[in-house]
Amino acid sequence: EWVTTMSSEAGSIISNETRERGSTYGQSWPELLQNKGICQETLEEFSSKVLNFYDEQGRKFSWRSEISPYRVLVSEIMLQQTQTGRVEEKFSAFVARFPGFQELAAADFSEVLRLWKGLGYNRRAKYLHDISRTVVAEFDSALPDDPEILVRFSGIGKATAASICVFAFNKPYGFIETNIRTVFIHFFFPDQLGVSDPEIFVLVEKTMDSENPRRWFYALMDYGVMLKQTVGNLSRKSSTYRKQSRFEGSDRQLRGRILDLLLSRTRVDVKTAAIILEQPEDRVRALTGALYSEGLLVEDNGWFKLA
């Protein structure tokens, strides 16, 4: 069985051994639920509360109103570590220019990156471009509905593979991301610190709607957003919580500036880039080399350009 969490961008597997053991304290899952006073009636009340909220106040997004495997894939890659508001601004223009796998696969990477600009984590644009080419070349332009296959694609970890299958194909695969984590901590672990994803995941499994998992996970995520706005980010109580590093002056910011420079120039050498960006040449050389290794740049006799 495919069991995943979104404790990081790549996700991780909760092993069958961990699930059977139940927690770090050696409890079985039934013991864990019993010790917390969680019965079937409690789970049903929880599900009803979350779904009622969603029916009344669920968020509206274009990737939800018009669902296709391609649109779900684009939105899921865009939403990795990026707020929905920023994704909304970019998604419609992106799918208008590239309405399907074939159009995206045929495009130059520079055009893809130009439309991606502003979302950050630019390697995701390269992942999406590479995925589209794989889908066209190897799967007759049809995105596979199996997470075991999806996880082999560039930039798709185990959690993203599960979420794509849920939202694109309405298949019941469990996963955890920050909003979902917030919901379960709020309801079932209000006084506990260091809550582990295996503890949360048993509740994800117990409450998942196998007939309409897409609606259920939309509801969980929207309820989590509401909780963050009203009670704060309870994911800080999770054992997976890590404070995001500062962006200003970071390598991540400078990587973006290098790519922006190459959107305005056909090619550039490291020395010229360092002068324009007002950065040490060694630092620019190292980051340019990393971008080359990741396939975002190509090099020709000391000159770099977009892949």
Side-chain angles (χ1 to χ4, degrees):
E1 184 176 355
W2 191 263
V3 184
T4 65
T5 75
M6 196 173 289
S7 56
S8 66
E9 184 175 352
S12 60
I13 292 179
I14 296 177
S15 68
N16 287 332
E17 179 184 357
T18 301
R19 293 172 65 225
E20 291 169 2
R21 188 172 67 244
S23 77
T24 55
Y25 302 104
Q27 296 171 302
S28 67
W29 292 131
E31 288 173 338
L32 181 64
L33 295 176
Q34 184 177 8
N35 289 343
K36 289 190 169 295
I38 301 172
C39 61
Q40 186 62 34
E41 183 179 358
T42 301
L43 296 178
E44 290 174 359
E45 290 177 356
F46 162 74
S47 297
S48 294
K49 188 167 188 175
V50 171
L51 288 172
N52 288 339
F53 171 84
Y54 176 70
D55 290 340
E56 295 175 3
Q57 302 183 50
R59 297 176 297 171
K60 308 296 183 184
F61 298 115
S62 58
W63 55 85
R64 290 186 183 181
S65 61
E66 183 184 338
I67 296 173
S68 72
Y70 173 76
R71 290 169 66 88
V72 167
L73 173 71
V74 172
S75 65
E76 287 298 293
I77 299 297
M78 284 186 170
L79 286 164
Q80 290 175 347
Q81 297 179 283
T82 305
Q83 297 293 325
T84 53
R86 291 175 63 194
V87 172
E88 274 191 296
E89 296 172 1
K90 294 290 183 177
F91 178 83
S92 295
F94 193 93
V95 296
R97 172 60 188 87
F98 310 117
F101 290 110
Q102 292 184 347
E103 292 82 1
L104 183 55
D108 291 334
F109 176 63
S110 59
E111 187 178 5
V112 176
L113 184 62
R114 198 176 301 278
L115 277 178
W116 189 274
K117 185 177 178 181
L119 281 174
Y121 297 100
N122 293 295
R123 73 183 70 179
R124 294 177 300 165
K126 178 63 173 171
Y127 292 154
L128 195 53
H129 195 217
D130 289 345
I131 290 169
S132 68
R133 290 182 168 181
T134 299
V135 171
V136 170
E138 300 181 19
F139 297 93
D140 196 25
S141 300
L143 187 70
D145 61 358
D146 182 351
E148 295 277 7
I149 297 175
L150 292 175
V151 78
R152 302 173 196 163
F153 291 176
S154 302
I156 296 184
K158 299 180 186 302
T160 301
S163 65
I164 289 170
C165 286
V166 168
F167 297 131
F169 305 107
N170 209 18
K171 288 194 168 187
Y173 292 98
F175 67 95
I176 300 173
E177 53 81 67
T178 180
N179 294 312
I180 293 172
R181 191 179 287 114
T182 293
V183 174
F184 283 97
I185 289 176
H186 173 75
F187 278 99
F188 300 107
F189 306 91
D191 302 317
Q192 182 175 329
L193 296 176
V195 181
S196 70
D197 276 358
E199 289 178 292
I200 293 173
F201 198 83
V202 65
L203 296 167
V204 172
E205 284 192 316
K206 291 288 185 181
T207 57
M208 184 162 51
D209 181 352
S210 60
E211 293 185 1
N212 195 349
R214 179 191 290 137
R215 175 174 175 253
W216 173 238
F217 280 102
Y218 281 161
L220 281 175
M221 296 172 77
D222 289 5
Y223 202 98
V225 170
M226 181 273 291
L227 287 175
K228 285 183 177 180
Q229 295 169 347
T230 55
V231 301
N233 184 7
L234 299 179
S235 284
R236 292 186 177 93
K237 294 183 177 182
S238 166
S239 61
T240 67
Y241 177 73
R242 301 292 183 272
K243 187 175 181 180
Q244 189 173 34
S245 59
R246 181 178 176 179
F247 176 71
E248 191 66 30
S250 67
D251 284 353
R252 182 160 62 91
Q253 184 187 44
L254 184 53
R255 284 165 55 99
R257 293 180 64 198
I258 293 171
L259 293 175
D260 285 347
L261 179 62
L262 284 166
L263 284 174
S264 61
R265 290 170 170 252
T266 303
R267 62 180 187 169
V268 71
D269 63 281
V270 170
K271 184 174 182 178
T272 302
I275 293 171
I276 294 173
L277 298 172
E278 300 180 333
Q279 293 291 323
E281 187 173 329
D282 287 348
R283 188 183 183 201
V284 174
R285 187 181 308 280
L287 294 179
T288 303
L291 291 167
Y292 168 77
S293 298
E294 294 166 17
L296 278 75
L297 302 182
V298 294
E299 187 266 343
D300 181 21
N301 293 323
W303 293 91
F304 287 92
K305 61 182 181 179
L306 294 172

